[in-house]
Amino acid sequence: MDSLLQLNNCTIRFGGLTAVSNFSMEITKGELVGLIGPNGAGKTTVFNMVTGVYQPTEGEVLLAGERLNGLKPYAITGKGIARTFQNIRLFSSLTVFDNVRASFNLRLKHGPIHALTRGRAFLNEENDIEKRTLELLKIFNLDRLREVMCKSLPYGDQRRLEIVRALATQPKLLLLDEPAAGMTPTEKSNLMKLIEFVRETFDISVLLVEHDMRVVMGICKRIYVLDHGVKIAEGPPEEIRRNPKVIEAYLGEEPP
């Protein structure tokens, strides 16, 4: 299968603290991969290295063979990586429609001059963006809420909207940082279906960080496990579930 994302021996240090050490990972096109570990294991730090928030002290990050080291987050998004956040970061003062519409600005062809003159090319592109925004909202049953301020949405709809906004950037890889946090069991079941739906419908790869093992084990085909910034296991869910190092990391003691 074609490799999409590669992390090769990535290490990141903050002063004297090594947050992630010699971490390697590969995700192929169309895969749904999990990244798990106890609190403070370095999972979000890996996300931040992939998206350019942090630069690895050592090692390299590749997307479809292209080196991403040194690129700013907006440039990496332009290359095809989008993410959601552990704490929802929607534009609270904008409507549902405008939250999604804003993401299409990444692919705009017209510039400031066209916006000032409001010529035909500008109007055509704006109409196309409006149409595509509405189409995305319809797919996720959010079109009925298009004029609602996003801060007024129920928690589950806010999570869905954040995923829709990320998809509007047309990613090849979607990173989901603890999307099930704060959800009820029913919402988590719906989220699992939603993630599978997104992967299949948009033909993208997904990297999922999640504490809820039922969610991770239920939808991920492969799982990487971090503990204190070090990869201690990787493999399919059935292997990870029985791995002594993983059991010890989560329980804090040697398994019987």
Side-chain angles (χ1 to χ4, degrees):
M1 297 180 70
D2 295 332
S3 177
L4 180 64
L5 178 74
Q6 285 180 287
L7 274 69
N8 296 328
N9 304 314
C10 286
T11 294
I12 183 165
R13 300 186 184 93
F14 301 101
L17 172 68
T18 300
V20 175
S21 178
N22 200 36
F23 180 71
S24 295
M25 176 174 66
E26 182 175 15
I27 299 175
T28 59
K29 292 180 179 179
E31 266 199 304
L32 204 171
V33 176
L35 178 61
I36 66 172
N39 287 330
K43 304 181 296 296
T44 297
T45 302
V46 169
F47 264 35
N48 287 335
M49 282 196 291
V50 172
T51 55
V53 176
Y54 299 150
Q55 295 297 324
T57 309
E58 299 168 11
E60 61 180 358
V61 180
L62 304 172
L63 182 69
E66 182 178 357
R67 200 168 189 265
L68 302 182
N69 295 55
L71 295 183
K72 299 292 186 183
Y74 70 85
I76 290 176
T77 303
K79 297 290 184 183
I81 297 179
R83 71 173 293 181
T84 64
F85 295 86
Q86 183 176 349
N87 299 314
I88 296 174
R89 297 187 187 177
L90 294 170
F91 304 126
S92 60
S93 61
L94 297 181
T95 63
V96 167
F97 185 88
D98 286 337
N99 261 270
V100 178
R101 181 190 179 114
S103 288
F104 281 103
N105 289 336
L106 180 70
R107 309 289 179 188
L108 283 179
K109 295 177 183 176
H110 67 257
I113 300 298
H114 298 88
L116 289 171
T117 58
R118 302 185 69 83
R120 179 175 296 178
F122 168 80
L123 294 175
N124 286 343
E125 188 169 24
E126 287 296 305
N127 288 335
D128 181 57
I129 288 174
E130 185 170 343
K131 178 182 175 183
R132 290 163 65 193
T133 299
L134 191 56
E135 286 174 350
L136 258 183
L137 290 174
K138 282 182 178 178
I139 290 173
F140 293 89
N141 195 30
L142 289 171
D143 55 309
R144 58 193 169 83
L145 303 171
R146 59 176 292 176
E147 298 303 328
V148 175
M149 301 300 287
C150 69
K151 62 185 177 183
S152 302
L153 293 176
Y155 186 80
D157 284 342
Q158 288 190 34
R159 281 290 182 193
R160 276 198 298 156
L161 179 59
E162 194 176 33
I163 292 174
V164 175
R165 187 181 63 178
L167 290 172
T169 67
Q170 302 173 45
K172 302 171 187 173
L173 173 66
L174 177 63
L175 279 58
L176 302 175
D177 194 352
E178 297 199 28
M183 287 188 170
T184 66
T186 299
E187 287 173 332
K188 288 178 182 179
S189 294
N190 292 335
L191 175 70
M192 291 167 68
K193 296 174 185 175
L194 176 64
I195 294 172
E196 283 280 21
F197 171 80
V198 165
R199 184 185 66 82
E200 294 175 3
T201 303
F202 294 88
D203 191 26
I204 61 175
S205 302
V206 178
L207 175 59
L208 171 68
V209 162
E210 183 52 61
H211 276 296
D212 191 304
M213 290 299 99
R214 188 176 72 88
V215 173
V216 175
M217 298 291 178
I219 59 176
C220 294
K221 306 305 179 187
R222 288 192 304 118
I223 298 171
Y224 289 85
V225 188
L226 275 175
D227 187 30
H228 294 96
V230 177
K231 181 171 66 177
I232 60 172
E234 65 176 278
E238 55 272 18
E239 287 184 14
I240 296 300
R241 192 180 285 113
R242 299 191 302 265
N243 188 296
K245 289 184 178 180
V246 176
I247 296 171
E248 182 182 355
Y250 274 94
L251 299 181
E253 58 185 15
E254 290 281 357

